[in-house]
Amino acid sequence: MTDTLLALDGLTKAYPGVIANDGVSFRIAPGEVHALLGENGAGKSTLVKMIYGLVKPDAGRMALRGAPYTPDRPSEARTNGVAMVFQHFSLFEALDVAENIALGMENPPRRRELAASIRQVSHDYGLPLDPARLVGELSAGERQRVEIIRCLLQNPRLLIMDEPTSVLTPQEVEILFATLRKLSSEGTAILYISHKLDEIRALCDAATVLRRGKVVGTCVPRETTAREMAELMVGTTLHTPERRHRENGETLLELRGVSLPAATPFGTNLHALSLKVQAGEVMGIGGVAGNGQDEFLSVLSGESLQEPGRVFVDGVDIGALPPQTRRSLGVLAAPEERLGHAAAPDMTLVENALLTGSVREKLAPHGLVNWAATRAFAARIIEAFDVRTPNADVAARALSGGNLQKFVIGREILQAPRVLVVNQPTWGVDAAAAATIRQALLDLAGQGAAVIVISQDLDELMEIADRFAALNAGRLTDPRATAGLSLDEIGLMMGGAHDMEVAHAAQ
Ligand SMILES: Nc1ncnc2c1ncn2[C@@H]1O[C@H](COP(=O)(O)OP(=O)(O)OP(=O)(O)O)[C@@H](O)[C@H]1O
């Protein structure tokens, strides 16, 4: 009949103060790997939510294999062969793999049959996974496999993936891509959202670019450079972050044998971490997710306390001080989980500005909130970090992921910290905004702060960090200068990736 699997025609969706999708039209062919590109807030998530039946379009039409397609809910999308893997996994840690997969199915088969099908799909697609393992014990990459296998068991014709590689090691990315290529060769189309343009060039056949809700261009990623795609997205020329030469100063932050028992059954114990970070230095902390990154941040932020003699800033023992006291000393932190940890989802941006800014920005003198000053602080963050939002009175949860990330990081940087620790500072952030955030971190160090960047993005760490150390099962390697460090050496420092040998053996 036609070689179009999904046709979108004039899809439009407005939210208060913003048209998230404005007359979006494009087509996806069977077996095509189609990238959806766009800066933060461009409307990518809104579009895929309409395709998956989570959001109803205000106007426009969709057709699947030539027939009108109007999914009212995700189960209807799934019945039509449309599956989706979300950025945030919706898995229960205390249940095993098979139980989690059964929960997401309309009519789950019996346990033994289900376990057999999981093994079969996992073998066929090179995604090793034991149905009986507890999800809480799995790495981020393995958890993603659970979600993917859950989708594959439904034989999808279209698989939507929202930022699938942000939690994966380079080796896990290769495995995922091999799976996606196999699916595509079998005729399954893939709609792929990512800010990682080199990956898009390696994987995708076609790309549609959104800007402020509208389609502004299409391209063949293999024939387009990453920079050209980024510039198509933002509509301007990009600047690469610049590192000004500077002399490192005195030791500002010192950890002496910090240990910490995990706070949850699936957390990581920290084992005797020692580290010195100097004024003016960016220290990069790499490692596969779940190796103690959150715990490490909590030791610095003051969410976990230490006995005397373990954590020093400027020679002052801060290990037992609570977060607010640390803030007054200029020790600030921006955790990874932006909704619920870094920001309160139902509070407005103004209220969220107050949450961590009150001490250093003196927003609540004598215990009374100065709302005018708080508003002005929120406005400064929005302006300086180009946070796209109708105004500062919207709830944090209404912002697109990348825009909230810009807000959270900007809020800490503008408080001129002396020691700043950030976890995944550019997670889900588009190329232009990532460059702004990285430049701001470099500038902060340039002004004499000690900056600790925890990230799974090795390119990011190589770009901005002076030294690099890896967290592996709650232990920290000795830091090494990033200049001249090869990817192989970094891989060794990270202690090898989870399950790689098994994964390769199954391919
Ligand atoms: N539930 C909602 N309520 C109000 N506004 C919303 C809602 N969902 C999205 N928006 C707005 O719609 C616009 C598009 O957001 P969307 O999440 O689709 O962007 P995106 O391209 O996926 O961004 P990112 O790359 O940052 O995830 C943004 O301005 C966002 O603030």
Side-chain angles (χ1 to χ4, degrees):
M1 199 179 63
T2 133
D3 64 350
T4 298
L5 174 71
L6 177 70
L8 310 179
D9 193 3
L11 282 190
T12 298
K13 173 74 196 173
Y15 288 112
V18 51
I19 302 185
N21 273 206
D22 191 354
V24 173
S25 306
F26 64 92
R27 282 168 168 40
I28 303 174
E32 179 179 291
V33 187
H34 195 111
L36 193 53
L37 300 180
E39 55 186 339
N40 297 127
K44 305 176 297 291
S45 302
T46 304
L47 183 67
V48 295
K49 282 181 190 160
M50 291 195 281
I51 301 173
Y52 193 54
L54 279 167
V55 166
K56 225 177 159 40
D58 299 335
R61 283 188 305 274
M62 292 188 269
L64 199 62
R65 291 184 217 94
Y69 172 61
T70 52
D72 275 330
R73 60 187 77 87
S75 58
E76 212 176 313
R78 289 195 292 266
T79 315
N80 279 285
V82 175
M84 178 157 173
V85 176
F86 289 90
Q87 235 177 55
H88 296 280
F89 307 143
S90 46
L91 299 172
F92 294 94
E93 296 200 325
L95 298 183
D96 71 20
V97 168
E99 287 163 341
N100 266 286
I101 288 181
L103 276 179
M105 297 176 89
E106 258 63 71
N107 299 305
R110 275 182 221 203
R111 162 118 199 159
R112 273 184 57 189
E113 288 163 41
L114 180 60
S117 341
I118 293 172
R119 283 204 191 86
Q120 187 66 46
V121 171
S122 115
H123 175 266
D124 290 351
Y125 289 91
L127 295 168
L129 197 60
D130 176 356
R133 289 260 319 267
L134 269 191
V135 163
E137 292 167 0
L138 303 183
S139 72
E142 289 167 322
R143 289 178 195 215
Q144 185 187 58
R145 280 179 216 157
V146 179
E147 298 270 6
I148 295 176
I149 288 177
R150 172 146 82 188
C151 290
L152 296 189
L153 284 171
Q154 298 161 24
N155 290 320
R157 305 322 302 154
L158 173 68
L159 178 62
I160 303 170
M161 304 209 74
D162 191 356
E163 297 246 11
T165 62
S166 47
V167 294
L168 304 185
T169 62
Q171 292 88 339
E172 286 174 326
V173 171
E174 279 311 311
I175 293 172
L176 172 69
F177 281 12
T179 306
L180 296 181
R181 288 193 183 106
K182 180 167 161 61
L183 275 170
S184 135
S185 73
E186 293 166 356
T188 302
I190 291 153
L191 182 57
Y192 189 88
I193 299 183
S194 174
H195 292 294
K196 299 194 175 168
L197 301 174
D198 289 327
E199 291 180 0
I200 286 185
R201 297 189 63 234
L203 182 73
C204 299
D205 307 308
T208 295
V209 185
L210 291 180
R211 193 188 317 145
R212 302 191 182 216
K214 290 196 165 106
V215 175
V216 292
T218 55
C219 67
V220 177
R222 278 185 255 283
E223 296 164 7
T224 315
T225 66
R227 180 171 277 261
E228 282 164 351
M229 282 193 272
E231 293 182 353
L232 197 55
M233 273 159 40
V234 296
T236 61
T237 325
L238 281 181
H239 300 284
T240 314
E242 257 178 65
R243 198 193 292 224
R244 283 175 211 99
H245 180 73
R246 56 176 187 264
E247 296 297 322
N248 287 347
E250 303 284 297
T251 296
L252 200 49
L253 170 74
E254 183 172 1
L255 303 184
R256 292 185 198 156
V258 166
S259 295
L260 185 72
T264 65
F266 302 118
T268 306
N269 300 322
L270 296 182
H271 302 280
L273 309 191
S274 291
L275 181 71
K276 286 183 183 176
V277 188
Q278 294 163 324
E281 183 177 37
V282 179
M283 170 65 74
I285 308 286
V288 178
N291 271 286
Q293 286 89 340
D294 293 342
E295 290 81 0
F296 178 77
L297 183 131
S298 77
V299 165
L300 296 177
S301 70
E303 286 163 285
S304 304
L305 301 181
Q306 286 283 309
E307 63 199 44
R310 301 289 182 209
V311 189
F312 296 87
V313 166
D314 252 348
V316 177
D317 189 339
I318 66 157
L321 301 178
Q324 290 296 42
T325 318
R326 295 192 194 198
R327 290 189 168 275
S328 65
L329 294 171
V331 181
L332 306 189
E336 172 181 13
E337 182 61 44
R338 46 197 167 212
L339 275 179
H341 195 183
D346 293 320
M347 289 174 128
T348 66
L349 296 183
V350 173
E351 290 161 341
N352 271 292
L354 179 71
L355 278 185
T356 78
S358 65
V359 177
R360 270 183 96 65
E361 295 296 306
K362 303 191 176 48
L363 302 177
H366 318 299
L368 277 183
V369 176
N370 179 343
W371 286 109
T374 307
R375 240 165 219 296
F377 179 48
R380 266 206 298 142
I381 303 168
I382 291 169
E383 161 81 27
F385 285 83
D386 188 23
V387 179
R388 307 273 169 88
T389 172
N391 56 59
D393 294 313
V394 300
R397 71 159 80 249
L399 260 63
S400 79
N403 276 301
L404 185 57
Q405 184 70 7
K406 290 192 266 178
F407 183 83
V408 163
I409 298 286
R411 179 181 63 183
E412 305 310 317
I413 290 181
L414 286 190
Q415 294 178 50
R418 304 205 50 233
V419 174
L420 176 66
V421 52
V422 289
N423 192 358
Q424 300 270 65
T426 61
W427 188 62
V429 165
D430 65 57
T436 307
I437 289 176
R438 288 174 192 158
Q439 185 68 60
L441 292 170
L442 286 171
D443 291 348
L444 189 66
Q447 290 152 20
V451 179
I452 298 104
V453 180
I454 305 169
S455 177
Q456 284 160 59
D457 185 337
L458 292 176
D459 295 330
E460 166 165 274
L461 292 178
M462 292 306 107
E463 186 173 314
I464 63 173
D466 300 294
R467 288 191 298 151
F468 173 88
L471 264 175
N472 184 11
R475 293 188 167 78
L476 197 62
T477 62
D478 284 337
R480 297 191 41 192
T482 45
L485 204 57
S486 72
L487 267 182
D488 279 351
E489 288 169 309
I490 293 172
L492 283 177
M493 289 173 80
M494 285 167 54
H498 285 270
D499 276 7
M500 279 310 120
E501 285 154 34
V502 194
H504 286 304
Q507 279 186 323

